[in-house]
Amino acid sequence: MRFVVSLIVLSFPILDVLATMRFARWTGIPTLAWLVASAVAGALLLRNERLTFRAKTLAALRGDQPLMRGLLDSCRRILAALLLILPGIVSDVIALLLLLLPINLGAPLATQPAGLSRGFGRDSLEGDFHRVD
């Protein structure tokens, strides 16, 4: 079973490069230019996501944004960047589909105001203090 899985994993880049060469012959775009452009785009996306992930994590720690939304979005972009770095047009198409998915839509991951999550505002208790000895 391990042999079959490793054979599939190792044959994907080879088949992907062959598909890219066939696509390049069909469109007239040089294969090397396509591979270099997608690798550069993946590296830039990965570099940009490193900075964006740090900002999203700090916003989640402050309470401005839920942590899960930032993690899902960053994971999706990092996976797309790695697929862009891999040689081939099939992995590039999968990466572009990952980037186009509207994962951040929906109510379960909606942001909450920072004051309510930290216990300020309506969640605080009012009262008088006196010491009992």
Side-chain angles (χ1 to χ4, degrees):
M1 186 65 183
R2 285 185 186 176
F3 178 73
V4 173
V5 171
S6 63
L7 185 66
I8 291 171
V9 168
L10 292 176
S11 66
F12 176 73
I14 295 168
L15 294 174
D16 202 6
V17 168
L18 290 174
T20 303
M21 291 169 65
R22 187 169 284 221
F23 178 77
R25 190 177 323 130
W26 180 62
T27 60
I29 300 172
T31 306
L32 188 61
W34 183 273
L35 296 178
V36 169
S38 68
V40 168
L44 289 175
L45 182 63
L46 197 60
R47 180 177 178 259
N48 185 28
E49 189 54 38
R50 183 188 66 172
L51 299 173
T52 306
F53 178 72
R54 183 180 301 150
K56 286 180 184 179
T57 304
L58 289 176
L61 289 175
R62 283 192 312 263
D64 298 338
Q65 179 179 350
L67 181 63
M68 198 63 179
R69 173 178 280 183
L71 286 176
L72 281 175
D73 194 39
S74 290
C75 179
R76 176 177 61 101
R77 288 185 181 173
I78 289 172
L79 183 61
L82 292 176
L83 284 172
L84 281 172
I85 291 172
L86 281 176
I89 192 162
V90 176
S91 61
D92 293 346
V93 168
I94 294 170
L96 291 176
L97 288 175
L98 272 175
L99 288 174
L100 292 176
L101 284 177
I103 290 180
N104 284 336
L105 300 177
L109 296 177
T111 59
Q112 299 173 354
L116 293 178
S117 64
R118 291 188 179 174
F120 301 121
R122 292 182 282 191
D123 293 341
S124 63
L125 297 173
E126 299 285 333
D128 296 328
F129 172 78
H130 64 281
R131 176 177 275 198
V132 177
D133 291 323

